[in-house]
Amino acid sequence: MKYPRYKYVFALFDFAVIFLSFKASEYITANVLNKNVILNENEFLTYLTFAAFSLIFVFLFQNNNLYKINILLTRAPHLTAILKSFIYGILLLIIFSFVIKFNLLLSSRFFVFFFFLTGFTCVSFFRILILKPFYMHFTKILNNSNILIIGAGKSGRLLAEKLLFENFYGIKITGFLDDNVRKGEDVFKEFLCLGKISDLKEVVKKYNVDEIIISIDKIGYENLMELIDRCNELYKSVKLTSELFNIVPEKIVTESYSGIPVVDLSPKVNRNLNYLYKRIFDYTASFIGLIVLSPLFLLISILVKLSSPGEIFFRQIRIGKDGKKFNFYKFRSMYIENENDTDREQSMMEFMKNDKTIIKGSSKILNEKRVTPVGKFLRKTSLDELPQLYNVLKGDMSLVGPRPCLPYEFDAYDEWHKRRNIVYPGCTGVWQVSGRSSVSFKDSIVLDLYYINNMTPWLDLQLIFKTFPVMIFGRGAK
């Protein structure tokens, strides 16, 4: 995956400034306060720790959108994101220091204070007063991306107009591709149609295209997903501006070009390596989670058993990766009834077809009269989902991914819906964190597909950490 040049420049400067802030804080702590600041009396190990935490801060900056162009070119949101990153980073530093008995913190809290003061001030100064003006004046050197717009209709022309007259990004429009416009025809100003969509590979190679923006007015989900696949096969940056994906910028902070939200759909890491990482992380985290949470499992089991007659665990057939069936586990939260749940199935089919959020903002199809008093609390906080750690340990699920669907739901899927099943289903995911039960069926699919295209270890960690406040406050649950 090829990132714009300016992102590498900013990340490199951030790393250097934060590392030097660590070094300056160490110097002040050691020479002014006469505190021991060397980790286990090993200078190399101390500097290696500085470097590791500097890299962590770069990841925190990425998490807080500090490398998105629409944040870089602002002041107040820029400073807010920097401050937020430093608060999170300091908390991680404190936890790390106590875990490994890091002398820099344990011997003097002044080190943390000096680092926060030095790091926040220097990063803010360099980014806003030096790097931002530098970027504005040297965009042709830093970014200088050749952009190809797929779609010469109203949306494509509007995007070209914005980029032409409000171009703070140093990008160059190469031209358009459109099946309904003749090759060589003038689309907007001096920009021409370079061919049909079938000419994509040849045009990208001929004009040395760095980034492809899909901006087609009238296209279905299936055709759009196939087009995204074709673009990603070329290993270029692929972005999308389409009303079909409007839910993504509504729920997630994305980049915008001159006020037009663009959704990044380019794979960020090698998919095979990412699957290997996910499996190792899933196995380790679920194993530890089952051990640590065993007292909570016992407590919930007792409450479920006392709340109503029936089994403690609810087992159900769900659809996993590549359409394979598996046994899905939850704590039972409803009274046992012998009747078939045909009403729920019919309601779910209607929900999928109508594509609307229902039940006063909740898209979960649920007969509330069947929920036990304990079950209401478990469902509200998602504690009924904890047994899925066993599914993760077995290899049926991942900690992060699209939610597993029921067989009759899968049978009713359109082909583009089934793309969410190319990865392992997860205990949490983008739409659970961003919208949970307050999004429509199609929007939930779109958010899952956004995750699949942007799947990285760092994104998984973000979603896991964002899941906790959703569970605690029960936002969107039912």
Side-chain angles (χ1 to χ4, degrees):
M1 168 60 195
K2 183 180 180 182
Y3 287 99
R5 296 181 185 90
Y6 76 87
K7 294 194 176 186
Y8 292 109
V9 173
F10 271 74
L12 183 61
F13 267 88
D14 288 336
F15 179 88
V17 171
I18 294 169
F19 182 85
L20 292 174
S21 298
F22 272 121
K23 186 69 180 72
S25 302
E26 178 226 344
Y27 178 83
I28 295 173
T29 306
N31 293 279
V32 177
L33 301 177
N34 295 317
K35 297 288 186 179
N36 180 27
V37 293
I38 303 299
L39 182 62
N40 297 327
E41 306 301 328
N42 188 322
E43 188 171 344
F44 172 77
L45 190 57
T46 298
Y47 292 155
L48 185 62
T49 304
F50 288 166
F53 260 93
S54 299
L55 189 61
I56 289 174
F57 268 89
V58 171
F59 284 124
L60 287 172
F61 285 2
Q62 169 74 11
N63 178 44
N64 286 296
N65 308 302
L66 279 165
Y67 298 109
K68 286 184 168 58
I69 193 66
N70 43 305
I71 300 297
L72 290 175
L73 299 180
T74 61
R75 177 163 293 185
H78 201 157
L79 284 171
T80 301
I82 294 173
L83 179 61
K84 186 177 178 182
S85 300
F86 267 90
I87 291 173
Y88 288 153
I90 291 296
L91 290 175
L92 287 175
L93 178 63
I94 291 173
I95 294 171
F96 173 81
S97 300
F98 275 100
V99 169
I100 71 161
K101 310 300 181 184
F102 195 12
N103 286 341
L104 279 173
L105 179 63
L106 298 182
S107 63
S108 175
R109 294 187 179 92
F110 283 103
F111 170 79
V112 177
F113 172 76
F114 286 132
F115 169 70
F116 177 82
L117 187 64
T118 305
F120 177 74
T121 302
C122 291
V123 169
S124 301
F125 176 82
F126 272 94
R127 273 180 155 262
I128 294 176
L129 298 181
I130 296 180
L131 287 181
K132 178 183 172 182
F134 178 80
Y135 174 87
M136 297 288 287
H137 286 89
F138 296 96
T139 49
K140 291 184 178 180
I141 299 174
L142 285 178
N143 211 0
N144 195 26
S145 298
N146 292 323
I147 286 185
L148 176 67
I149 300 176
I150 299 181
K154 182 179 179 181
S155 298
R157 293 196 303 271
L158 175 62
L159 177 63
E161 180 181 5
K162 288 280 190 177
L163 292 177
L164 182 63
F165 295 110
E166 302 175 27
N167 188 1
F168 306 111
Y169 317 109
I171 59 181
K172 176 185 175 184
I173 300 174
T174 302
F176 296 82
L177 287 183
D178 197 296
D179 289 341
N180 300 316
V181 180
R182 295 194 311 273
K183 182 177 181 180
E185 183 177 334
D186 186 19
V187 176
F188 178 77
K189 298 296 181 180
E190 72 273 19
F191 303 117
L192 307 177
C193 179
L194 304 178
K196 298 184 180 298
I197 296 176
S198 58
D199 301 322
L200 176 64
K201 185 175 181 179
E202 292 75 17
V203 170
V204 166
K205 183 177 181 180
K206 179 179 179 180
Y207 294 93
N208 194 26
V209 171
D210 299 300
E211 182 172 303
I212 303 167
I213 301 182
I214 302 171
S215 184
I216 300 179
D217 291 320
K218 296 180 181 180
I219 187 172
Y221 281 103
E222 186 62 43
N223 291 333
L224 177 60
M225 298 311 301
E226 290 177 358
L227 178 57
I228 292 170
D229 288 344
R230 289 182 59 189
C231 293
N232 278 327
E233 289 173 358
L234 303 176
Y235 299 100
K236 302 294 181 180
S237 175
V238 179
K239 295 180 180 177
L240 169 71
T241 170
S242 169
E243 62 181 11
L244 299 183
F245 271 62
N246 276 349
I247 187 63
V248 177
E250 286 177 11
K251 298 292 184 179
I252 302 169
V253 177
T254 63
E255 286 189 307
S256 63
Y257 287 165
S258 301
I260 298 178
V262 290
V263 179
D264 193 343
L265 293 171
S266 312
K268 303 298 183 295
V269 296
N270 181 278
R271 183 155 292 177
N272 292 329
L273 289 177
N274 192 58
Y275 282 152
L276 177 62
Y277 154 79
K278 280 177 72 72
R279 188 60 205 132
I280 295 173
F281 179 77
D282 286 341
Y283 182 85
T284 305
S286 60
F287 181 75
I288 295 174
L290 286 169
I291 294 175
V292 173
L293 297 174
S294 56
L296 182 59
F297 271 74
L298 179 61
L299 175 62
I300 294 176
S301 298
I302 295 172
L303 292 175
V304 170
K305 196 65 177 176
L306 293 175
S307 67
S308 63
E311 300 293 330
I312 293 173
F313 296 103
F314 171 74
R315 186 175 67 178
Q316 191 177 48
I317 298 296
R318 293 288 181 102
I319 302 299
K321 185 177 184 293
D322 299 325
K324 296 179 180 179
K325 296 180 180 180
F326 70 96
N327 287 317
F328 174 83
Y329 297 96
K330 297 174 68 174
F331 281 117
R332 183 175 58 82
S333 60
M334 304 177 75
Y335 294 107
I336 299 296
E337 292 187 8
N338 294 325
E339 64 182 43
N340 293 326
D341 207 358
T342 55
D343 289 341
R344 185 193 186 281
E345 183 174 341
Q346 291 175 359
S347 298
M348 188 63 193
M349 292 298 100
E350 286 295 319
F351 167 62
M352 292 171 64
K353 291 178 181 178
N354 295 334
D355 192 41
K356 293 181 180 179
T357 56
I358 59 176
I359 313 178
K360 295 182 179 179
S362 173
S363 63
K364 283 190 176 181
I365 312 300
L366 177 65
N367 183 354
E368 294 187 46
K369 294 181 180 180
R370 291 183 55 192
V371 181
T372 66
V374 171
K376 289 181 180 179
F377 174 76
L378 294 179
R379 297 179 77 96
K380 187 69 175 176
T381 56
S382 295
L383 290 175
D384 61 323
E385 312 277 0
L386 287 180
Q388 289 158 40
L389 290 174
Y390 177 63
N391 286 120
V392 176
L393 189 65
K394 284 177 59 184
D396 297 325
M397 295 176 62
S398 175
L399 288 174
V400 182
R403 289 297 287 165
C405 65
L406 290 160
Y408 65 80
E409 295 173 13
F410 185 77
D411 292 339
Y413 275 0
D414 293 336
E415 283 304 310
W416 74 274
H417 297 157
K418 295 180 180 179
R419 288 171 172 265
R420 70 196 296 274
N421 291 90
I422 66 174
V423 298
Y424 286 102
C427 300
T428 188
V430 175
W431 77 264
Q432 287 87 355
V433 170
S434 304
R436 213 175 183 188
S437 296
S438 61
V439 296
S440 69
F441 172 70
K442 282 185 180 177
D443 285 344
S444 70
I445 299 290
V446 167
L447 288 171
D448 285 336
L449 296 181
Y450 170 82
Y451 165 76
I452 291 171
N453 278 277
N454 288 272
M455 195 164 49
T456 61
W458 184 244
L459 178 59
D460 281 4
L461 289 175
Q462 291 178 52
L463 293 173
I464 289 171
F465 286 125
K466 288 179 179 179
T467 298
F468 294 120
V470 172
M471 292 176 62
I472 292 171
F473 296 108
R475 293 198 298 267
K478 200 165 184 69

